[in-house]
Amino acid sequence: MLIPFLRTLILYLCIVLAVRLMGKRQVGQLQPYELVLALMVAEIAAAPLENVATPMLHGLVPILGLLVLHGLCTALSLKSLKLRRILNGVPGVVIREGVIDSRQMQRMAYTVTDLLEELRGQGYEDVSRIHTAILETNGRLSVFPKASFAPITANDLKLPLQQARTPLLLISDGIIQYRHLQESGHDPAWLMQQLSRVRIHST
């Protein structure tokens, strides 16, 4: 039982490393070639887990090879716009100046049902309120409403507002984050004073 556990642990850590090196947190943020990489890594890692007789290197070496290939593709796509378009594709305007572009949607295999579902998810139940909608290369829909339906901002109302400071986590799981506390311009004594005001006397 110990050997299968160790093999699983090693492959798990390797896959976590692979995902971290990809630099994305959600599947919905993956570009097409990155999604293919994630699927291939999962498939390759399954072989040594299903059969203990399969050497670990048969799983680790291909995964490391895929990571090198991913790094190479990423580096080249940053330097070549043409290669970037081949690997990632290009965004498509599916609603242009309030009109649905049916040809563009056909080219991208994007149905009206998909469009309406995504619009409802973003709080737009009526297509007539949309000025422009762009289907991004990662499958997300960027929506820009018409000016008359755009949310009102403080700038529109000419309200003088101060820029909010970046929020800092001062206590995480009961542990004081001293670096964040220092960045906020306060000390532990100030923090304990704030906690005592809300009747918290221990972290």
Side-chain angles (χ1 to χ4, degrees), residues 29-53:
Q29 297 174 334
L30 298 179
Q31 295 295 341
Y33 76 99
E34 293 174 322
L35 179 59
V36 171
L37 172 67
L39 295 175
M40 291 184 66
V41 167
E43 184 66 24
I44 292 171
L49 293 179
E50 293 175 353
N51 187 0
V52 181

Side-chain angles (χ1 to χ4, degrees), residues 8-168:
T8 302
L9 179 60
I10 293 173
L11 287 171
Y12 171 77
L13 294 176
C14 186
I15 294 174
V16 170
L17 175 63
V19 174
R20 291 293 297 153
L21 289 177
M22 289 172 64
K24 302 291 177 72
R25 292 182 177 270
Q26 299 178 7
V27 174
Q29 297 174 334
L30 298 179
Q31 295 295 341
Y33 76 99
E34 293 174 322
L35 179 59
V36 171
L37 172 67
L39 295 175
M40 291 184 66
V41 167
E43 184 66 24
I44 292 171
L49 293 179
E50 293 175 353
N51 187 0
V52 181
T54 303
M56 285 289 295
L57 289 179
H58 287 191
L60 295 177
V61 172
I63 291 177
L64 294 177
L66 286 174
L67 286 179
V68 172
L69 180 60
H70 171 265
L72 180 62
C73 289
T74 301
L76 292 177
S77 65
L78 291 175
K79 296 182 178 181
S80 172
L81 178 59
K82 184 178 295 185
L83 180 61
R84 191 185 315 161
R85 289 178 176 176
I86 294 174
L87 292 176
N88 299 341
V90 293
V93 180
V94 294
I95 299 180
R96 191 186 305 271
E97 297 184 357
V99 179
I100 297 178
D101 190 335
S102 56
R103 289 187 178 181
Q104 181 66 36
M105 292 183 62
Q106 288 178 359
R107 284 196 294 267
M108 305 188 77
Y110 200 66
T111 66
V112 175
T113 302
D114 296 330
L115 176 62
L116 295 177
E117 180 180 342
E118 189 66 29
L119 290 176
R120 288 195 298 270
Q122 299 193 34
Y124 298 100
E125 71 282 354
D126 192 348
V127 181
S128 63
R129 298 186 177 188
I130 308 302
H131 180 269
T132 305
I134 302 175
L135 185 60
E136 307 292 353
T137 56
N138 59 8
R140 291 190 173 185
L141 188 70
S142 298
V143 180
F144 304 92
K146 294 180 179 178
S148 56
F149 296 103
I152 298 176
T153 65
N155 186 57
D156 296 329
L157 300 177
K158 308 299 183 182
L159 296 177
L161 298 178
Q162 293 183 348
Q163 181 64 44
R165 299 180 61 182
T166 303
L168 296 173

Side-chain angles (χ1 to χ4, degrees), residues 176 178 181 185-197 200:
I176 297 176
Y178 290 100
L181 188 61
H186 300 289
D187 55 18
W190 173 87
L191 177 61
M192 298 307 297
Q193 182 180 9
Q194 301 304 311
L195 292 177
S196 64
R197 288 183 178 179
I200 298 177

